Amino acid sequence: MPHTLITARWLVTPKAESAAATVDVLANGGIAIDDAGIIVAVGPTDELVANVPFEQRLSLPDHILAPGLVNAHCHCAMTLLRGAADDLPLDRWLKERIWPMEAELLDEQFVSVGSRLAALEMLQGGTTTCADMYFYSQAAAEAYLSVGQRAVLALPVIDFPTRYAADVDGYISLGLAARDRFVDEPLLSFCLAPHAPYTASDNTFQRVLSFAEELRIGIHTHLHETAGEVSGAIGQSGERPVARLARLGVLGPGFFAAHCVHFNSADIDALARHGASAVHCPSSNLKLASGIAPVAALLAAGVNVGLGTDGAASNNRLDMFEEMRLAALIGKVARPYSILYLTLSMPRRAPTSRTSG
């Protein structure tokens, strides 16, 4: 069966034999795609040309060909609120700016336009999949399909009313209606998204868990984003939010938490023990002065860690290359001894002469 070849100056591909996040970089490589859009061969250009029958070839002599990036936590429609709430910590950012603006502006058209704009921005930057937690999920789904963006729609659930829904029953009903409508779309998948432990009661989390188990979908939430969130929970119930979710049975392989900044060793152990995942959002955590997530400790404990931009309102961009760069840089500040270890373990080289030009 004839295929389409895409060849490039450089090919970046994950190492098949490694479970770690490592890649191979191949000069002059490419991929073969069948009529269904499935990649059927990966390798050096010469080998593909010689061994794979193809009808057309897209040659990219000055490009890097790599897997699409995944933005694991975003509020895509908030591209329309970019720059509208700067220089505030999270609690004031939400209460003084974001929630009041949403109360005035939020509707299906807002979400449709904002989500489509976000999808186009991400696709231009190499991000082909996003996990989007926001309102009016049907409008967002249509926006992603209109531009060919893959998305995991995190269906929001909050204990207080918004323009989208009046109560928990309304949030769940609207979310599941969106899932039912688009469940057969190959580019879309779904999870339930109780906003955060401070905006969702035990009963709400238990209801979300019940639906998630019944439908075999995941749960996505904000968790331990600020020190105030953690201290407030302890003051109210004597329990850290992670411990509370573990008690409720919410933690598990289908659970992924955004931010995870103020974790202690017990929190990290709980995520690792239950097979849950964390999403690191470095730009957002810095813009809102929330702190730096203990990514090295999470990885050392075996927790699966992804990267996310958060919404453009708490980042100002949806650039996953910037998130990768920033994560690497602030990781060196958070764990400076790892840089010392790297320096000491580098092979020593003989000095080389230098000439001035």
Side-chain angles (χ1 to χ4, degrees), residues 102-183:
E102 288 177 335
E104 292 292 328
L105 301 172
L106 190 63
D107 59 20
E108 287 186 281
Q109 184 180 17
F110 181 97
V111 172
S112 177
V113 173
S115 298
R116 191 168 189 272
L117 180 62
L120 292 170
E121 180 178 345
M122 286 188 284
L123 287 170
Q124 282 191 320
T127 297
T128 57
T129 304
C130 69
D132 178 23
M133 180 194 293
Y134 210 61
F135 309 102
Y136 295 100
S137 301
Q138 293 197 32
E142 290 168 352
Y144 300 129
L145 293 176
S146 73
V147 298
Q149 171 85 346
R150 188 182 300 276
V152 180
L153 287 155
L155 310 171
V157 184
I158 309 176
D159 278 357
F160 57 80
T162 63
R163 290 183 61 162
Y164 173 64
D167 53 27
V168 171
D169 288 337
Y171 287 108
I172 292 175
S173 177
L174 288 168
L176 296 184
R179 175 195 174 271
D180 291 344
R181 178 177 173 184
F182 295 101
V183 69

Side-chain angles (χ1 to χ4, degrees), residues 10 20 23 46 75 79 108 135 212 237-239 272:
W10 299 99
V23 297
D46 291 345
H75 311 289
T79 49
E108 287 186 281
F135 309 102
S237 67
E239 195 173 32

Side-chain angles (χ1 to χ4, degrees), residues 44-269:
T45 297
D46 291 345
E47 292 183 10
L48 293 176
V49 171
N51 298 315
V52 177
F54 61 94
E55 286 184 338
Q56 57 182 341
R57 174 179 172 182
L58 175 61
S59 180
L60 304 170
D62 301 314
H63 294 70
I64 296 172
L65 182 60
L69 302 175
V70 176
N71 185 349
H73 178 68
C74 191
H75 311 289
C76 292
M78 295 179 79
T79 49
L80 299 182
L81 300 179
R82 190 193 314 263
D86 290 339
D87 302 320
L88 292 170
L90 177 66
D91 188 60
R92 292 183 58 198
W93 181 83
L94 285 172
K95 294 177 180 177
E96 296 178 17
R97 297 292 293 163
I98 297 301
W99 287 344
M101 284 190 291
E102 288 177 335
E104 292 292 328
L105 301 172
L106 190 63
D107 59 20
E108 287 186 281
Q109 184 180 17
F110 181 97
V111 172
S112 177
V113 173
S115 298
R116 191 168 189 272
L117 180 62
L120 292 170
E121 180 178 345
M122 286 188 284
L123 287 170
Q124 282 191 320
T127 297
T128 57
T129 304
C130 69
D132 178 23
M133 180 194 293
Y134 210 61
F135 309 102
Y136 295 100
S137 301
Q138 293 197 32
E142 290 168 352
Y144 300 129
L145 293 176
S146 73
V147 298
Q149 171 85 346
R150 188 182 300 276
V152 180
L153 287 155
L155 310 171
V157 184
I158 309 176
D159 278 357
F160 57 80
T162 63
R163 290 183 61 162
Y164 173 64
D167 53 27
V168 171
D169 288 337
Y171 287 108
I172 292 175
S173 177
L174 288 168
L176 296 184
R179 175 195 174 271
D180 291 344
R181 178 177 173 184
F182 295 101
V183 69
D184 294 324
E185 288 288 350
L187 290 179
L188 303 178
S189 56
F190 299 86
C191 63
L192 285 164
H195 171 260
Y198 58 88
T199 54
S201 66
D202 282 7
N203 182 63
T204 297
F205 271 106
Q206 288 170 331
R207 292 190 63 192
V208 164
L209 177 61
S210 177
F211 280 108
E213 291 177 339
E214 178 183 348
L215 299 173
R216 298 184 179 181
I217 58 178
I219 297 174
H220 186 27
T221 192
H222 302 88
L223 189 61
H224 285 226
E225 186 172 357
T226 67
E229 173 192 340
V230 180
S231 62
I234 294 172
Q236 184 175 9
S237 67
E239 195 173 32
R240 294 174 68 85
V242 167
R244 174 187 162 207
L245 297 187
R247 171 177 56 79
L248 294 172
V250 176
L251 301 186
F255 177 86
F256 59 115
H259 300 289
C260 305
V261 175
H262 295 276
F263 271 13
N264 62 20
S265 58
D267 302 323
I268 294 171
D269 179 67

